Amino acid sequence: MTSPARSTRPTRPARPVRPVRIGPRAAAALVLVTLIGIAAFGWPLLADRQSGLAHSQDAPWLFAALLPLLVAVVVATIADNGMDAKAVAMLGVLAAVGAALRPLGAGTAGLEPMFFLMVLSGRVLGPGFGFVLGSVTMFASALLTGGVGPWMPFQMLAMGWFSLGAGLLPGPERLRGRAELLMLAAYGFLGSFAYGTVMNLQGWVILQGMGQGISFHPGEPVAANLARFVAYCLATSVGWDLGRAALTVVLTLTLGATLLKALRRATRKAAFDAPVSFDSGAVTGPGPALERSTDGGGA
């Protein structure tokens, strides 16, 4: 007897599981909120001195307008391809863990351990899930710590961007091991500084009474104000951002391999991509209902 021929066709790497995909509506909503978010962060740099837009009392109205847009992105992301109970449960667990981690280092040299969780979760679960997770985690954290204020929508948006970026990093199917951890650590380091810088821009324009070299001057040229903003960041927040970035790198390199393995195992067992079908055939007579195959319509 001859043994059956074995296929020599090379197998393709498994497609990474994405519990929340970015569909057309979600992508459009995300692009819209990103553009509006950029405008919201940077509008004071373009505002005229006489426009009144640079007054600190006007900022909360703009902040409040951003919150419904963030909610719209979350809703559109869920509505595009659906979000089953397993994805909702994983979102809830990770958001709760992230919200619980944030207060552990808040107020201590910028040490915020939640950032490394957002990096690894976005990497494994994809950009769509990452954006939703980052926004929801920051919202839950604000409720937990009493940090609700005009800055909260900006924190939600910035953390959503941070987690989404981790999901867009290259090589999710092939890159593993030390190289992947180094890439994630580098992203966490740079992303931590980017998050701090973006949030500095939100707060800098409403602070008054600082030195002439670092204060925001409404109506002045953009280049001059940007130079003052850089000086402001160097003088007030570099140490804080460095602490956040260093902790993210340390946690990613020490705990990253274990957490990545756990998250990937959880997504495989959850089988987010598995189709769910039900047989409409009725089962008569007493006794428990019988499962029937829907592949060929037979019993």
Side-chain angles (χ1 to χ4, degrees):
M1 295 178 63
T2 59
S3 59
R6 294 183 180 179
S7 174
T8 58
R9 182 183 300 175
T11 59
R12 295 182 179 179
R15 185 180 181 183
V17 176
R18 296 293 191 242
V20 182
R21 300 182 185 278
I22 299 182
R25 286 178 295 181
L30 184 57
V31 169
L32 177 62
V33 75
T34 297
L35 293 176
I36 295 177
I38 292 173
F41 276 112
W43 62 265
L45 298 175
L46 304 176
D48 185 76
R49 188 188 301 271
Q50 285 76 33
S51 65
L53 291 177
H55 296 166
S56 60
Q57 60 266 29
D58 297 322
W61 295 99
L62 188 58
F63 296 173
L66 191 60
L67 183 56
L69 294 173
L70 289 171
V71 174
V73 172
V74 175
V75 172
T77 303
I78 294 174
D80 254 328
N81 293 298
M83 190 172 179
D84 63 12
K86 294 173 289 187
V88 173
M90 182 168 287
L91 175 64
V93 169
L94 291 175
V97 173
L101 285 175
R102 190 180 179 215
L104 296 181
T108 307
L111 303 179
E112 295 182 89
M114 70 171 290
F115 276 73
F116 108 99
L117 178 63
M118 296 297 104
V119 171
L120 300 182
S121 299
R123 171 65 172 177
V124 173
L125 299 166
F129 192 98
F131 184 85
V132 175
L133 176 63
S135 299
V136 171
T137 301
M138 193 57 71
F139 180 76
S141 173
L143 296 179
L144 181 65
T145 60
V148 177
W151 54 84
M152 185 182 68
F154 281 85
Q155 290 178 328
M156 292 173 62
L157 181 60
M159 185 57 68
W161 286 340
F162 178 80
S163 303
L164 180 145
L168 294 175
L169 291 174
E173 303 93 346
R174 299 175 302 276
L175 192 60
R176 292 290 189 270
R178 193 68 176 174
E180 183 180 34
L181 288 180
L182 289 174
M183 180 184 68
L184 294 176
Y187 174 81
F189 185 87
L190 297 176
S192 296
F193 274 97
Y195 175 90
T197 301
V198 167
M199 291 308 302
N200 280 343
L201 184 59
Q202 175 265 326
W204 172 63
V205 298
I206 61 178
L207 295 177
Q208 302 296 327
M210 297 182 295
Q212 289 294 316
I214 61 175
S215 292
F216 171 62
H217 293 187
E220 296 228 349
V222 174
N225 270 323
L226 285 178
R228 296 189 187 97
F229 176 65
V230 172
Y232 168 80
C233 292
L234 293 175
T236 62
S237 65
V238 167
W240 190 275
D241 294 338
L242 181 60
R244 179 193 300 119
L247 180 63
T248 301
V249 170
V250 171
L251 291 177
T252 300
L253 294 179
T254 56
L255 303 178
T258 302
L259 186 54
L260 284 173
K261 185 178 180 180
L263 287 172
R264 283 172 174 145
R265 184 187 301 117
T267 55
R268 286 196 300 269
K269 290 187 176 182
F272 293 110
D273 288 346
V276 179
S277 60
F278 299 94
D279 187 4
S280 59
V283 179
T284 60
L290 300 178
E291 293 183 1
R292 302 181 63 183
S293 170
T294 58
D295 293 339

